[in-house]
Amino acid sequence: MRSPEALARRFRETDRKVTPQRIAVFEALDSGPGHSTAEQVHRSVTKNLPTISLKTVYEILRELSELGELVMLDLGTGAVRYDHNLALHHHLVCNECGVVVDVPAHLTDLQLDGVEDLGVSVSTAELVLRGSCSRCNTQDPKQPSNK
Amino acid sequence: MRSPEALARRFRETDRKVTPQRIAVFEALDSGPGHSTAEQVHRSVTKNLPTISLKTVYEILRELSELGELVMLDLGTGAVRYDHNLALHHHLVCNECGVVVDVPAHLTDLQLDGVEDLGVSVSTAELVLRGSCSRCNTQDPKQPSNK
DNA sequence: AACGTGACAACAATCATTGTTGATTAGGGT
DNA sequence: ACCCTAATCAACAATGATTGTTGTCACGTT
């Protein structure tokens, strides 16, 4: 995702108003971790802007995704996640702690040539890995006392 | 998935009762298309067993997935789909008509070696392709009058 | 200073799914 | 065959994420 300033410019260019709520969401996305849920963004934003409604956050996130400034991701974790990493990448969901790890596409090799034999055409490929993240991987080998 | 008879046997072996509701769901799954939603299974089952509740269908489907007889799939289409294809495969969701096409794993080549560099370990890989199915592919090239 | 447009918050509604409860039922041991 | 207990079921309420509705309000424009 781009900077809050760039997003504000983009909103102005597309005849959208740059309101305090929108600025606050831009900044929350910029400073927060990737892959936040709407709920998490809302919690973060309310620190500066206590009256903003969750509905408004949903609307702003939807607009950002319509503009292609972030991507809505359904990783089967209950709520949609809003991903502001615009580079080509995949995701690993940690089975232990639930964290989502970005996996740059260059670390994987994905060949789909054979698929066209089915008569289908593929426009996007979304790879969801499940396993454990590096943190859980190192702590887990039966070292107690981490919960 | 295996035959209704095999599932009945499996249920008896695991100390579950084989009720009319369960038999009806087994048969609906066996004869229906893959990737049905709970709602679709329920609709199909009520043809023979009009009084069965949606809740019961959900329960039976969950038990089947606990036994590994089918797989719960969240393809971002709103409702979970229950997949009774137990072979290793991936899915293509048609952007036009919404149908889910099985993609045998041997048609794709997926190398994940590089991913371990991140310190993570991968237990499963789920590939969701989006595009258009063979049916929409052939009809679509601007031939009107199909809707 | 009135106008119109969009953005907002409060609230209700929706959809898939799960929890609760109380009545019914299946099947092993007598 | 009969009983007993746990399993099963249906009806109903509740949940959680998300979206729809409505009335108000701020802002830039004549």
Side-chain angles (χ1 to χ4, degrees), chain B:
Chain B
M1 197 185 69
R2 296 185 290 164
S3 68
E5 295 72 33
L7 294 180
R9 215 175 310 127
R10 185 85 196 282
F11 263 48
R12 286 205 190 85
E13 284 165 6
T14 53
D15 292 319
R16 285 164 229 257
K17 295 177 183 171
V18 177
T19 64
Q21 288 83 350
R22 291 178 171 189
I23 294 172
V25 170
F26 298 166
E27 286 173 353
L29 288 171
D30 191 54
S31 64
H35 319 115
S36 296
T37 65
E39 193 77 52
Q40 287 166 342
V41 174
H42 181 245
R43 255 202 301 284
S44 160
V45 171
T46 44
K47 283 173 198 153
N48 301 319
L49 221 129
T51 66
I52 191 173
S53 78
L54 179 55
K55 179 90 203 297
T56 299
V57 172
Y58 271 110
E59 277 167 10
I60 298 171
L61 291 172
R62 188 176 40 71
E63 286 190 279
L64 282 168
S65 84
E66 281 171 12
L67 290 173
E69 298 287 347
L70 50 75
V71 174
M72 297 173 63
L73 269 189
D74 185 349
L75 299 175
T77 51
V80 168
R81 286 158 184 278
Y82 296 85
D83 189 356
H84 62 240
N85 180 351
L86 298 179
L88 188 60
H89 67 290
H90 303 295
H91 298 98
L92 179 136
V93 182
C94 179
N95 285 330
E96 322 241 357
C97 68
V99 81
V100 177
V101 180
D102 276 354
V103 177
H106 71 264
L107 295 181
T108 67
D109 184 24
L110 183 54
Q111 300 289 335
L112 298 176
D113 314 333
V115 177
E116 312 275 337
D117 296 353
L118 296 173
V120 305
S121 53
V122 179
S123 61
T124 66
E126 201 185 318
L127 182 59
V128 180
L129 309 176
R130 300 186 198 272
S132 62
C133 67
S134 58
R135 199 155 169 286
C136 291
N137 239 350
T138 51
Q139 291 185 346
D140 235 289
K142 310 307 171 205
Q143 285 175 29
S145 79
N146 66 333
K147 181 163 55 182

Side-chain angles (χ1 to χ4, degrees), chain A residues 115-145:
Chain A
V115 177
E116 313 276 337
D117 297 352
L118 296 173
V120 305
S121 53
V122 179
S123 59
T124 66
E126 202 184 318
L127 181 60
V128 181
L129 309 177
R130 301 187 196 272
S132 64
C133 67
S134 59
R135 202 155 167 285
C136 290
N137 241 348
T138 51
Q139 291 184 347
D140 235 288
K142 310 307 169 205
Q143 285 175 29
S145 81

Side-chain angles (χ1 to χ4, degrees), chain A residues 17 19 21-22 51-53 56:
Chain A
K17 294 178 183 169
T19 63
Q21 287 85 349
R22 292 177 171 186
T51 67
I52 191 173
S53 76
T56 299

